[in-house]
Amino acid sequence: MSTTASDPLAALGSLPGVADAVDSVRKAVDRVYGHRVMRRRSNEVTAEAALRGARGSAALSGADWSLEEVRRRTDFSGDDEARVIGAALRLTAEAGQLLSIWRQSPLRVLARLHLVAAGGVEPEDSIGRPRLAGEPVDEPLIEAPLPDADEVAGRLEGLSGLILSGTSAPALVTAAVVHGELLALRPFGSYNGLVARTAERIVLIGSGLDPKSICPAEVGHAEQGRAAYLAAFEGYLSGTPDGMAAWIAHCGRSVELGVRESTAVCEALQRGAA
C-alpha cells in the first residue's frame, strides 16, 4: 500500500478498471436492495447472508463444510475445522455490533475481533493484541513473507490513521485495502484471514454500501476459489497499480457474487421455499 497522494485511498479509486468495478458493485447492490422481499423480510435475508458469509470465510481458512452441515451443527469445539467454523460464525454475528467503535478506534475493533475468533482457545495473554517479536503465526493459506512485529505495529497505526482521517474513496476500495493490509500483516497469532474478511464486511456495512449486511463478499471470495484469492492477493502485495487494481476488482466481484447469493435467497423467500 504505497502512494503519496493526500488521500491515498481515493487515489486508488482512479486506477484503471477500478471505477468500473465500483460502478458494477453499486448497481448489483442496488438491485438486491430493490427486491420486493427486502421490504418486509430483510431481517431473514440478513440472517441467511450472515450464515452463508461465515461458511464462505471458513472455507477459505480450511474448513470447507456444506451449508447444511454448518446449519445443523451446534457444537464447534471438537476439532480444528469445527473451531474455524465456530470462529467465523461468532465474527459474523459480532460485526454489526462494532460499527460505531470502528469509526472511532479501528484497532480496538480488530483486537475485539481476534478475541471473539479465538474464543478462549489460545493462551489468554496472546488474545486480542498484535503479536510480539518472535511469536508464531498460524495462517496456513497465506505463505507470503511475514512482516516483523515492529512493521506490523507501524502499518496498523497507518491503516487506523487512514480510516480515522476519512476518505472520499468508494467503500469497495476502502474495504479491499483493509482486507488486503490485514492479510499482508497477519497481526495476530491466528485467525487473521477470518478477521480480515470480517473487517472488510464492517467497512462495507458502515460505509452505507450494504447497511443491512445482505451482500456477503465472503461467499464470493470462496466461490472464486483459493487459487484466485491468492493470485489477487499477490497483486495487493506487489503494490503496483495493476496489482492493486486487480485485488480491488477481485473484491468487487466477490461482493457481486454475494449479491447473487442473497438474490437467490430473496427468490426462495418469495416462493415460500426458504
Side-chain angles (χ1 to χ4, degrees):
M1 189 174 60
S2 59
T3 175
T4 57
S6 57
D7 187 349
L9 293 177
L12 293 175
S14 66
L15 293 174
V18 170
D20 289 341
V22 168
D23 185 57
S24 183
V25 165
R26 168 51 70 187
K27 288 177 179 177
V29 172
D30 287 347
R31 282 195 299 271
V32 72
Y33 269 84
H35 197 288
R36 60 187 302 175
V37 165
M38 289 296 296
R39 298 173 194 167
R40 295 184 178 179
R41 305 183 71 178
S42 64
N43 287 345
E44 294 172 70
V45 181
T46 296
E48 190 64 22
L51 183 69
R52 296 179 185 217
R55 194 217 72 83
S57 190
L60 284 173
S61 287
D64 193 0
W65 290 15
S66 69
L67 184 62
E68 291 72 21
E69 179 67 7
V70 176
R71 202 188 301 277
R72 181 186 69 81
R73 289 281 288 268
T74 56
D75 181 8
F76 299 99
S77 62
D79 54 24
D80 288 345
E81 287 195 5
R83 285 192 287 272
V84 169
I85 295 284
L89 289 168
R90 291 191 298 273
L91 285 171
T92 303
E94 188 79 4
Q97 311 302 315
L98 298 173
L99 298 176
S100 61
I101 303 174
W102 176 261
R103 299 184 187 104
Q104 300 169 10
S105 179
L107 298 185
R108 278 181 59 200
V109 169
L110 295 177
R112 173 63 184 171
L113 291 177
H114 186 246
L115 179 67
V116 168
V121 174
E122 297 187 8
E124 187 173 342
D125 64 350
S126 69
I127 296 177
R129 62 158 175 78
R131 55 187 166 81
L132 303 177
E135 289 185 334
V137 172
D138 179 16
E139 195 64 44
L141 178 63
I142 307 298
E143 297 180 354
L146 194 66
D148 65 31
D150 288 341
E151 182 178 352
V152 168
R155 287 172 64 176
L156 281 177
E157 286 293 343
L159 182 64
S160 176
L162 284 176
I163 294 165
L164 293 174
S165 64
T167 177
S168 61
L172 172 64
V173 172
T174 304
V177 168
V178 167
H179 182 171
E181 190 70 355
L182 291 174
L183 275 187
L185 295 178
R186 283 148 287 164
F188 303 109
S190 62
Y191 299 114
N192 289 288
L194 294 180
V195 168
R197 290 184 288 275
T198 305
E200 178 185 47
R201 173 184 281 265
I202 288 172
V203 174
L204 294 172
I205 299 169
S207 67
L209 177 66
D210 181 22
K212 294 183 182 293
S213 191
I214 62 167
C215 306
E218 304 97 320
V219 167
H221 288 302
E223 185 170 333
Q224 292 184 85
R226 283 186 169 196
Y229 186 70
L230 292 175
F233 178 56
E234 285 295 326
Y236 181 87
L237 288 176
S238 75
T240 64
D242 286 348
M244 295 295 290
W247 171 248
I248 294 167
H250 180 88
C251 291
R253 179 60 179 157
S254 296
V255 175
E256 291 185 63
L257 290 170
V259 167
R260 188 176 71 179
E261 188 87 352
S262 287
T263 301
V265 170
C266 288
E267 295 294 328
L269 288 169
Q270 186 166 288
R271 294 191 305 268

